[in-house]
Each structure stands twice: as structure tokens, then as C-alpha cells.
Amino acid sequence: MSTINSADRTTGVDRTSGALPRLGGSPARGFGVHAVLALAALLFLNWLVVTEVPLAIKGIGSSYLIFFYHFPAAINVFVFYGALMGASVLYLKTKDPIWDRRARAAAEVGILCNAVLLVTGSTWAKAAWNAWWVWNDPRLMSAAVMTLIYIGYLMLHGAIEEPARRRQVAGVYGSLAFLNIPMVHYSIKLFGQASHPMKFDALSDASVVATRWYGVAAFFVFYLLIYRWTFDRKSRADRLEDSLGRIRRIEERGATS
Amino acid sequence: MTPPGPWKSYCTLVRWDWTREMRRKTTLLSMGVMGLITLFLFSFAIPPEREVLLDTRAGILWVTFLFAATIGIDRAFRADGRSGMLQGLLLAPVRRATLFYARVTSTFVFVVGLQLVLGVLFLVLFNQSLNVDGAITLIATVIATDLGFVTVGVMIGAMTWSVPGGDVLLRILLFPMLLPVFNVAVASADRAFKGQALSTTQLLMLAAFDLTFLGAGHLLFEHLVKDVGSDV
Amino acid sequence: MSGPAFRVTGLWKRFGARDALAGVTLEQARGTCLAVLGPNGSGKTTLLRMLSTLGEPSEGDVEVLGHPLPAEAHEVRSKIGVVLDRHLLVADFTLRESLRMYADLYGLVDATARIEMLADLTGLTARLRDPVRTFSRGMGQRAALCRALLHQPEVLLLDEPFTGLDAGGTRIVERVVTDTRARGGSIVVVTHDLPRAASIADRAVVFAHGRVVFDGAGEEAAAQAAEASR
């Protein structure tokens, strides 16, 4: 990532000479190692779930196994939406476009986690309550509303033409969105009837708790990999756009003089 | 020459905003008519029978409010931005936070006014009544909810006015953001129709939302009006 | 009061990949009129927007009347008068109401007299009671001039002030420039109208591709600008 950092303030271009930046280039350092690590961590999680966790627990059945994929998504949603807000605030403070790219990448990964959360949750709900969706459950509804709010972030980002204003406005929205999360949650909690299981006695078993938190860590490594990949892609896209604009300008200048 | 202080600028802005809206009645009219149409649509969508309405009246009232009031929120910035009026205000020696509070105040006044009219229409058309406790609950709910609604609305209005198709985007961004207050407002209006007094928890929830976003607007609004016009 | 009317140092403004300003360093003495010339898209208006506190530089420093921007934008705003490509008045108000609103925002004490005086100067006395929405391009331009002059600004920033104006209107702009200079104020005129710029300005700079390519007396600049836009 260091290559991106150093060139970023001027979107990767030496302005005075008008030279074009190098395109393509190698992906961020250690990306391959990271990918292998993430894959291994997830495989190990599967192995843990299969071997360490009792298959059927009294009264719940085996469907609860999806919990080990569901819970990490729930934690990582907050990690990445939180990172999105942090990056947004830092963008507003520093005006450095790198924070905007970080915010956008965090938004995409956050929405991915959110989608995983909803799909695993919904699948589990079908198995446990025989319904894909329950309208008055606070957690389900908060997760759904959060998705809508952050899809809004990406839509807003895509809608504004002028790059500096786009980053600015998205920065403000990214900050507002995160402030809203606790309120979305509490407001729904106030009235909803929680059908969402939060505590299973059976799951307080030491090996199950360990597996659960190991799952969070393993998935964090995995989502971080996706984040780095997204960020890298955005940085390249931005630099490419910049270079194209620059080439167009040089051509124009050539045509006029 | 010394420019006037924040309080004086604030009063000036609110006063002139008010004069202008009274002059240009189209926005107020569209808000009112939109509200009326929504009420009629609900009378077709949901059988307006006594037992059904017991469960749905609070929701009907708030969805109607939301659709009608959003028109006003959207117009507030779009008209000024497009006409260049916003740039004129930005050039004047007025602090950005003052502009924000003034816009929130004048929009708030209009939205509350609209809701009182729509509320009465609703009571008449759907044959509902309120006792004193209920009326107080409903009015307090409307005031606390609208403050949050307008605060977030002004922020999102300032984000989307220059975007082509920004009126749709505004609604897409605004409605999910408003969910916390909408949720509480419906529950509180339900209590009002049942003739119950205001619930402290609900009022606190609304106040927390209002204060959070007023604070955020105070800090962040200036970022939304920087470099305005260069992308239009 | 001493120091320049404005000073910009190493000023860059980027819109995405496009550089509207590419390292401009420029300074204007108080009590003078500076014409900024150049073809469309050369960065003239961007510079004006920066000086008017509406735009923020991507890089470099801007200082107006000794106040660094954007840090002291608030102080600067009450000392500058700006005419942009639109009149920035409220379409639904009459001209008098529109000006009255701005007079209140600038904290004018003798607003009524000042508005009458400016309306007289710009030949709009008869139109004071008409809604701004009914104004033609030229009338709008005159009204914009009224708004910019309300608070007797120390620096007057004019973006293409001659557009849409007839001979009478042009004379008004020329008179405003003379008057402003006479009371020690400074003027920046952004235009591509070379003969008029040459006649009112003490000094002219020519922009091309976001850079200053010529800096000198009015007449020479006119020739240079003609060259640049060819």
C-alpha cells in the first residue's frame, strides 16, 4: 500500500512536469500472503465448527451451526461501518482523497458483511422459525435499515459529478449515517418483540465460545482482504481516470497551439 | 461597517424566508394537495372501517405527513441553488451554522403548519377524535419529530440539490435515515389516539435524535456549501 | 491600511483531472483596477470564485485584504462585493425587497437611502417595485451591480460585467469602477471584452490553461489576449 500512499496527494501525478503516472503496477504488498492466510483461517474455522461444536443441541437442532458465519458478519458490519465513519471524518479534516477511497472501500465491504448477515440470518430464521423474514424483530430490522442507509451512501457517491464535491458530500453523509445506527436500533427495540435469540445456554460452552470468537477473527482477516482488494481497485480506477483526463488535456493543448 | 451578529442574521434570514414562502405559494400548495391525495389513496388501500383504523390510523397519518412534507424539504434547497440565491447568501457575511439554523427554523415552521392542517383533515375525513391528553401528546410528538425530520432533511437537501434527479435521491437517502423518528412518531401518535399521555421514553428518543443531528449539522453543514456552483 | 488588495501564491485548483488553475502567483495593489483576460476555460472565473470565498484552493495560499482564505472568509465577506454570471437576487421579490434583504444581512443602517441611490446610479429607479423575475439579462446585470455595491465594498470582483449590457449599462460599469477607485477601493474585472477592459484597467493579466501568460499595462495585454485566444 505504500506505493499508493506516497503518490496520493497529487493523485499519483507529478503536476509540474505533466508526466503520466505508471499504470497497472503490482498489487499492494503482501496481498498474496494475506489471501492464503484468509483462506486457511476460514478453512480452519470450518474444521473447528465440524469437530469442536456439538452437532445438535437440545431444542435447537443443527441449524444453529450457521451462527458461526452469522455472528462474525454482525461484528464486522460494525467494524467496517465504523471505519467508514472514521475515514469520512478524516477526509473532511485533511481533504486527502485517500480517505475518501478508504471510506468507499469500507462501505462496500460493510454492505457485503451486511448482506451476509441478512442472508445467513434469514436462512437460519427459515429453519428455526419457519419464516424467511420477521417484521418486528429489532435486530433483523436494524440490519435491513442499515443496508438501505449505506446503499444510499454508494448512490450518493455515484451521483455527484465533480470529484471534490462528491468526496465532501459523501464524507458528511458517511458521518451522519453512523450516528444514526444506535438510534435505528434503539427505536426499533423500543417497540419490537424480540424473537431473535441472543442467549443459548448450550452455546455458553467454552469450546463454542472460543470457536465463535475465532470465527470473528477469521472473518475479519477475510473481510480485510476484500477491503484491500476493493481499495486497490478504486485507487487504480481513480488514477486511470486522472491520466485519461490528463491525456485529453495534452491533446487539446496540442490542437490549440 | 460591521456585519450583524449571528442572532441578528438568523432573525433576518428566517423573516425573509417566511416572506418569500408566503409570496410563492406553489410549494405550500403542492404539499397540501399531495397530503390530501395520499389520505384519499389510503382510504382506498385500507378499508376505512372502525376496527381496521384502530390499528392503522397512526401509520396513515405519518406516512401522509412524510410524503407531503418531503416536497417542502426538497424545494427548500433546489430552488435556491438553481436560481443562484444560495450563492448570494454564501457571499454575505453570515456564518454557515447560522444559515443552517435559519433554514431549519423556516422549514420547520412550514412543516409543522402543514401537519396541523393535514392532522385536522385526517381527523375529519377518517372520523377520528382526540381528547385533551391525546391532543397534547400528538402536538408534542409532531413538534419533536418534525425538528429531527427537518434537520436531517436540510442536510440531505444540501447534499442533493445540485444532482440531476436529486429529488429522487433525496427521498432514497432521507427515508431510511428518518426511520428512528418515524418509528417513535407512529407509536406516539397511536398513544395520542388512545387518549394516553406522552411517554417519556418516546419523547427522550425523539429529543436524542433531534439533538444529535442538530449538533452534526452545526459541525458539518459548512462542508456541504463549500465550492457550491462550480459543478453546476 | 496597507498591503495588497489580494495576493495569491502558488494557487492550484483541480476539478478531477482538469487543472483550472495551475500554479498562479499574483498580487494586486489597493486602489487599482486589474483586468483578468483570457479565453474560455482559462481559469479566470475560477480565480474570481476563489477570491470571493466561494471556492477553496486545492493547493496554495489566497489572501484578500490581508485575511488568509478560507480561514478568515467571514471577515472578508463583508468587505468584498461580487458580481457573478447570475444576479443572485430572489426571483419572487421585487428589486427593492431583494436589495433590502441583502442590506439587512450586511447590517446596513441607512438601507433605504442607499438603495434609492444605487437604483438611481444604475437607472433602475423605475423598476424598484417590479419582481426580479421579470428582469431582462441587462437589467439583471444592473441589479447585480446594485447588490454588490450595497455595503460599499473595499474590493469589487466583477465576472464578465459587460455581458448583456447596452451602451448605457457599459457606461455605468465604467463609472462604478472610477468611483470605487476614487474612494480607494480595488476592482478585479474578469472579461474577454478586450477593448473595454483596456479602457478601464490599470493593469491586465492574461490567463491561458490556468497560468498567467502575460502581465502588464492594459493595451499590451489586449494584444496578448487576442494572441492567446487565437
Side-chain angles (χ1 to χ4, degrees), chain B residues 1 4 12 15-16 20 23-24 82 84-85 87-93 95-96 226-228 230, chain C residues 13 49 52 54-56 74 77 84 86 88 90 92-93 97 100-102 104-108 151:
Chain B
M1 191 177 324
T12 307
R15 185 159 46 88
W16 284 105
R20 188 163 48 121
R23 189 73 47 85
R24 181 183 57 195
R82 295 261 179 238
M85 168 72 190
Q87 282 187 47
L89 292 179
L90 293 175
L91 284 170
R95 302 243 177 234
R96 274 43 186 152
K226 264 179 205 166
D227 271 339
V228 160
S230 55
Chain C
K13 179 67 180 180
R49 290 181 54 85
S52 72
L54 284 180
E56 278 189 14
H74 189 72
R77 285 184 191 117
L84 296 177
R86 288 183 291 180
L88 312 184
V90 189
D92 299 291
F93 282 172
E97 286 171 322
R100 186 70 216 212
M101 183 186 91
Y102 279 107
D104 288 351
L105 289 177
Y106 281 98
L108 251 63
H151 52 295

Side-chain angles (χ1 to χ4, degrees), chain C residues 173-229:
Chain C
V173 176
E174 285 165 1
R175 179 148 170 231
V176 165
V177 169
T178 322
D179 287 357
T180 307
R181 207 161 23 175
R183 62 177 168 82
S186 326
I187 306 104
V188 180
V189 186
V190 164
T191 184
H192 53 247
D193 190 337
L194 311 176
R196 292 212 176 95
S199 71
I200 57 171
D202 306 295
R203 176 182 159 213
V205 291
V206 179
F207 273 61
H209 302 297
R211 290 193 172 87
V212 177
V213 292
F214 176 81
D215 187 346
E219 291 80 6
E220 291 169 58
Q224 276 291 325
E227 195 72 24
S229 38

Side-chain angles (χ1 to χ4, degrees), chain A residues 74-94:
Chain A
I75 299 290
N76 280 302
V77 159
F78 290 103
V79 170
F80 283 95
Y81 287 162
L84 163 65
M85 181 187 180
S88 294
V89 170
L90 281 169
Y91 176 76
L92 293 177
K93 275 197 148 113
T94 62

Side-chain angles (χ1 to χ4, degrees), chain C residues 1-144:
Chain C
M1 294 275 265
S2 59
F6 78 83
R7 175 192 288 146
V8 299
T9 326
L11 189 63
W12 287 80
K13 179 67 180 180
R14 303 190 181 100
F15 294 114
R18 198 170 68 81
D19 297 330
L21 292 174
V24 172
T25 298
L26 196 61
E27 189 177 310
Q28 183 192 1
R30 284 192 203 209
T32 63
C33 176
L34 173 75
V36 181
L37 305 164
N40 292 337
S42 57
K44 323 184 286 290
T45 300
T46 309
L47 174 73
L48 196 92
R49 290 181 54 85
M50 221 75 82
L51 296 176
S52 72
T53 74
L54 284 180
E56 278 189 14
S58 308
E59 226 174 87
D61 299 313
V62 186
E63 208 178 80
V64 175
L65 295 166
H67 297 288
L69 291 178
E72 293 179 14
H74 189 72
E75 285 73 16
V76 169
R77 285 184 191 117
S78 58
K79 296 178 182 169
I80 59 171
V82 187
V83 172
L84 296 177
D85 55 347
R86 288 183 291 180
H87 55 62
L88 312 184
L89 298 170
V90 189
D92 299 291
F93 282 172
T94 64
L95 177 60
R96 187 191 294 279
E97 286 171 322
S98 266
L99 292 176
R100 186 70 216 212
M101 183 186 91
Y102 279 107
D104 288 351
L105 289 177
Y106 281 98
L108 251 63
V109 272
D110 50 348
T112 316
R114 182 81 187 144
I115 290 170
E116 299 282 345
M117 199 278 264
L118 287 171
D120 186 48
L121 175 78
T122 52
L124 288 174
T125 310
R127 305 294 307 263
L128 273 175
R129 294 159 65 111
D130 293 343
V132 173
R133 146 167 41 86
T134 65
F135 281 24
S136 68
R137 181 82 177 83
M139 287 295 162
Q141 196 72 17
R142 290 172 190 224

Side-chain angles (χ1 to χ4, degrees), chain B residues 115-135:
Chain B
Q115 302 212 339
L116 290 181
V117 173
L118 284 181
V120 172
L121 273 175
F122 172 82
L123 291 179
V124 173
L125 290 175
F126 285 77
N127 197 22
Q128 300 289 322
S129 59
L130 280 174
N131 63 10
V132 178
D133 269 355

Side-chain angles (χ1 to χ4, degrees), chain B residues 24-103:
Chain B
R24 181 183 57 195
K25 296 200 181 63
T26 50
T27 305
L28 278 174
L29 204 65
S30 349
M31 284 159 75
V33 173
M34 181 68 195
L36 201 58
I37 291 173
T38 315
L39 282 181
F40 272 95
L41 285 179
F42 269 121
S43 78
F44 291 111
I46 295 169
E49 286 147 16
R50 197 128 196 99
E51 311 77 62
V52 182
L53 280 177
L54 283 181
D55 285 337
T56 53
R57 53 194 175 182
I60 292 177
L61 186 65
W62 274 105
V63 170
T64 307
F65 280 170
L66 191 64
F67 283 4
T70 307
I71 295 177
I73 299 266
D74 188 36
R75 290 278 176 86
F77 262 96
R78 197 169 308 281
D80 284 0
R82 295 261 179 238
S83 72
M85 168 72 190
L86 184 60
Q87 282 187 47
L89 292 179
L90 293 175
L91 284 170
V94 184
R95 302 243 177 234
R96 274 43 186 152
T98 312
L99 276 180
F100 169 69
Y101 289 125
R103 186 44 60 90

Side-chain angles (χ1 to χ4, degrees), chain A residues 92 95 145 148-149 152 155-156 159-160 162 165 168-169 172-173 176-177 179-180 183-184 187-188 190-191, chain B residues 155 158-159 162-163 169 172-173 176-177 179-180 183-184 187 201-202 205 209 212-213 216 220 223-224 226 231:
Chain A
L92 293 177
K95 299 281 136 87
V145 173
L148 292 177
I149 288 177
M155 288 183 74
L156 180 67
I160 301 172
E162 214 285 291
R165 180 158 168 79
Q168 191 104 325
V169 168
V172 174
Y173 185 83
L176 291 187
L179 287 179
N180 210 0
M183 277 179 284
V184 169
S187 81
I188 303 176
L190 223 53
F191 312 106
Chain B
M155 292 292 282
M159 292 177 190
S162 65
V163 178
L169 186 61
I172 291 177
L173 300 181
M177 284 289 257
L179 192 111
N183 201 349
V184 179
T201 329
Q202 293 174 1
M205 182 73 219
F209 186 91
T212 307
F213 284 99
L220 298 174
H223 294 289
L224 295 177
K226 264 179 205 166
D231 56 335

